[in-house]
Amino acid sequence: MQFKFFAAPWLGNPVVRQTIRLLVSVGLCGFVAWLTNLQEPGWALITSVIVTQSSITETLSSGRYQLVGTLIGAVASILPITLLLYHWPLWRAFAVAFVPLAVLASWKPGTRMSVVTLMIATLFATPNDPYLLPIERVLSILMGVGVSMLVTYVVLHEQARRDAFRNAAATVRQSVAMLTHARSHAMSWSDIQDLNDAGIASLRKVQTAVEEARREHWRPLEKRDPMLAALPKALRQLQTDALVVTRAVLLAENPPPDGQDDATDPLNPGLMRAFDWIIERCEGEAVARTGEEYRVAAGVITALPEDTAQDDEIMRFVMGVLRTDLKTLIQLLAQDDTRQA
């Protein structure tokens, strides 16, 4: 269960959250090292600082690299330690294992920790018991990885669902901005592409947050939060539609007159009401889960303009696709999510 501090709004700051996570990780790691009476707890503390990241996804990735590298380095260090017992020179024994690990780290950068582990186990070995202390150092590193993962899961980790919907609203706003500027011909195509790039950046943040949400619970996201699971795909389709419509509007020979309720007008009141509803719905979900949106959504869908017999077949087609995908996204966001855990 995640610790929650409702009375402290400043905990919404990502810098503050990460600082608290890092302090808790180092403190807990030091406490566990004290309980287990490790001779060199510093290795566990250093590892906890390295592994503890701002998201579960990043921590799992960093922890995985640390674990794999540590295990490879620990196994590889057996050879040089054994050679030292047979009176090999230190640097020659070290090079026997270091060269292949350096090649491995160059080929698979994720295994770089194996070289560090080899150095820790070999270059700082004790003469009395050359195997025991390096093994303890490896265990310290593994302890640091485990504690960091635990802290990232339970202590103020990122609110992935809120981040996803907050960035979803930003993505839709960028799409509306593209359509608005295209309708007024206030921007060139290159400037509109810059707006589209900003929308793509927001969409990537949505996808990242959804992937983070998948790792927050053992149940599949599609079962516990189907709305969130389907959000990136629906947003991506809507953004693509908006870009295509924007291009079509810029190239249209006879754009619809301003102020008319025309189905081929991207600023049609019905369409704008739909966009506004989606933005407000996403921003609402970014604050707290809501439900019972069926009636409002039905009214928004009903207000969408119907196809007209305009001569511009391209505009009719692209606007038809946009309306269809708007309906799909509205129906998705209108799901009663209050039953979700």
Side-chain angles (χ1 to χ4, degrees), residues 55 86 104 118 166 232 235 295 327 331:
S55 69
Y86 285 93
L104 177 63
L118 174 67
R166 183 165 54 250
L235 275 178
R295 286 185 188 173
K327 291 178 183 178
Q331 291 168 349

Side-chain angles (χ1 to χ4, degrees), residues 301-322:
I301 292 176
T302 303
L304 287 173
E306 298 296 332
D307 191 11
T308 58
Q310 296 289 331
D311 294 334
D312 194 335
E313 295 183 0
I314 295 179
M315 283 300 301
R316 289 178 58 196
F317 173 75
V318 296
M319 291 298 295
V321 173
L322 177 62

Side-chain angles (χ1 to χ4, degrees), residues 44-255:
L45 301 181
I46 292 172
T47 303
S48 67
V49 173
I50 295 173
V51 175
T52 305
Q53 303 293 323
S54 59
S55 69
I56 294 175
T57 302
E58 293 174 347
T59 299
L60 287 177
S61 178
S62 177
R64 182 174 64 251
Y65 291 146
Q66 294 284 329
L67 285 172
V68 172
T70 297
L71 294 176
I72 294 175
V75 173
S77 65
I78 295 176
L79 177 59
I81 292 175
T82 303
L83 293 176
L84 289 173
L85 294 178
Y86 285 93
H87 307 292
W88 275 53
L90 172 61
W91 292 106
R92 185 182 301 175
F94 173 74
V96 169
F98 175 75
V99 172
L101 287 187
V103 174
L104 177 63
S106 300
W107 179 44
K108 297 287 186 181
T111 62
R112 285 176 297 182
M113 189 61 190
S114 62
V115 180
V116 177
T117 305
L118 174 67
M119 293 178 178
I120 293 173
T122 305
L123 301 182
F124 300 95
T126 56
N128 296 331
D129 196 342
Y131 290 106
L132 181 59
L133 195 54
I135 290 176
E136 184 175 295
R137 288 168 182 161
V138 171
L139 292 177
S140 298
I141 294 174
L142 296 179
M143 178 190 299
V145 171
V147 170
S148 298
M149 289 185 175
L150 176 64
V151 169
T152 305
Y153 263 102
V154 302
V155 179
L156 298 176
H157 65 73
E158 290 287 350
Q159 297 294 316
R161 192 175 196 276
R162 296 181 180 181
D163 290 342
F165 280 101
R166 183 165 54 250
N167 285 291
T171 303
V172 178
R173 287 186 187 278
Q174 294 294 341
S175 297
V176 173
M178 286 194 304
L179 294 171
T180 302
H181 289 299
R183 181 64 182 78
S184 61
H185 292 269
M187 279 188 176
S188 64
W189 175 242
S190 60
D191 292 330
I192 289 201
Q193 285 179 312
D194 291 337
L195 287 177
N196 184 60
D197 291 340
I200 292 175
S202 297
L203 181 57
R204 288 199 187 102
K205 293 178 181 179
V206 174
Q207 294 169 330
T208 300
V210 171
E211 289 304 313
E212 175 82 356
R214 291 185 184 278
R215 292 171 169 83
E216 289 181 342
H217 200 278
W218 61 271
R219 289 180 60 200
L221 186 63
E222 286 75 12
K223 291 184 178 181
R224 57 187 167 89
D225 199 340
M227 181 196 299
L228 180 61
L231 183 63
K233 181 179 179 181
L235 275 178
R236 185 167 54 249
Q237 188 59 53
L238 182 63
Q239 186 194 33
T240 301
D241 295 343
L243 182 62
V244 173
V245 171
T246 298
R247 187 60 172 168
V249 170
L250 290 175
L251 297 177
E253 296 181 358
N254 299 309

